[in-house]
Amino acid sequence: AAKDAWCPACGVAALAPGPQRDALLALAKQSILAKLRLPARPSGPQPPARGALLTALRRMRAQRSDAAAPPGMLRDGRVASRRSSTPRSVHLHFRFSQEVAGSTEILQATLYLFWAAPGPGAQPVTVRLLQPDPAGPNMTVASETRLEVQRPGWTTLDVRAAVRSLFGQDIPRLTVELEVPEDWGSPLLSDHSDSHWPFVVTQARARTPHRVHRR
Amino acid sequence: GIDCGGDSRMCCRQEFFVDFKEIGWEDWIIQPDGYHMNYCAGLCPLHMAGVPGLAASFHTAVLNRIKAASAAAAVDSCCVPTQRRPLSLLYYDRDSNIVKTDIPDMIVDSCGCT
């Protein structure tokens, strides 16, 4: 009735059930959009682009085929190239750019190693830092560290002394030998991406006041 | 306040559920599936003016009788929400980001006469 019409909430109750329901649903939509400050309802999530989906599927398939490979099977990486080595040990070579070599003071140097899934129990690993023998072509052991690898993951080793001694050489190169138990195969992760390859973080102070931090 | 039911014609709260699937909004509103909007309906005769709902005390009932007897300007009052709650939404915005927000005063909990 006209008298009820002036109450904003009274008019709706006077409608017949069908139109009343439509009016209430329209009221609900309008108040939600108004309070979310949206001019209209969003179109909903867009499916990812076909190209991105295919790339992701291809990468997943590649990972799965890698996983099918025997555990511990190494693939050549860029950071540490493998040299011919006895079945029990792996050699890693780290080269430093001339820019870092030119700097005089090594503030810190840390070797990062990511262990693949070791066998049951702790696995003993010997890490030797080798340096060229001034008297001949061979390498001498600058330091030796024994590690107990309990589980997969990153291990760090302070190699500051060895890296400091490199910068007397014409080509500063750090050689690391990893010796592992006979049946363990190779300790490093067989990961096709470089994210798990061994690397050395060095912080050096150059002659000029700014710092050089290289990975 | 009181919930509408039976043949009461006085001011009360009417249950009303908005189902987002029914209005075709289920693709952009992740949670909830809908919400109890509810609304107020019913008569607010003069002597009921100004009291929240009809669950009045004895004191209010006597006061109302006096008001009714006073026959002042015969203008009814209005049946409106007296308590409301926010609605929490999880939804995709226009850039397909997932947003969680609380919209105030969206759910009517009780009604009364102005």
Side-chain angles (χ1 to χ4, degrees), chain A residues 3-4 6-10 12-13 20-21 24-25 27-33 35-46, chain B residues 16-18 20 22-25 27-28 35 37 39-41 75-79 87 89 91-94 96 101 103-106:
Chain A
K3 187 176 52 146
D4 289 352
W6 63 275
C7 277
C10 300
V12 173
Q20 182 186 59
R21 183 166 186 74
L24 285 166
L25 289 178
L27 191 65
K29 287 182 179 179
Q30 177 205 345
S31 58
I32 289 177
L33 292 178
K35 293 194 174 167
L36 292 182
R37 294 190 185 83
L38 293 172
R41 51 146 289 170
S43 54
Q46 305 308 322
Chain B
F16 185 78
F17 183 71
V18 179
F20 292 136
E22 181 186 343
I23 58 178
W25 279 12
D27 60 334
W28 70 278
Y35 79 105
M37 171 174 128
Y39 62 91
C40 301
V75 173
D76 277 358
S77 70
C78 196
C79 180
L87 165 65
L89 274 190
Y91 67 95
Y92 288 106
D93 68 4
R94 280 172 289 180
S96 295
T101 188
I103 310 177
D105 297 339
M106 289 296 282

Side-chain angles (χ1 to χ4, degrees), chain A residues 94 110-114 154-157 196-201:
Chain A
F94 298 89
T110 309
L111 168 64
Y112 284 76
L113 294 165
F114 187 90
W154 285 105
T155 298
T156 59
L157 199 63
H196 289 90
W197 275 91
F199 61 91
V200 173
V201 175

Side-chain angles (χ1 to χ4, degrees), chain B residues 26-49:
Chain B
E26 80 284 1
D27 60 334
W28 70 278
I29 294 183
I30 304 164
Q31 281 295 326
D33 297 334
Y35 79 105
H36 289 276
M37 171 174 128
N38 310 326
Y39 62 91
C40 301
L43 302 174
C44 276
L46 174 68
H47 65 283
M48 294 309 295

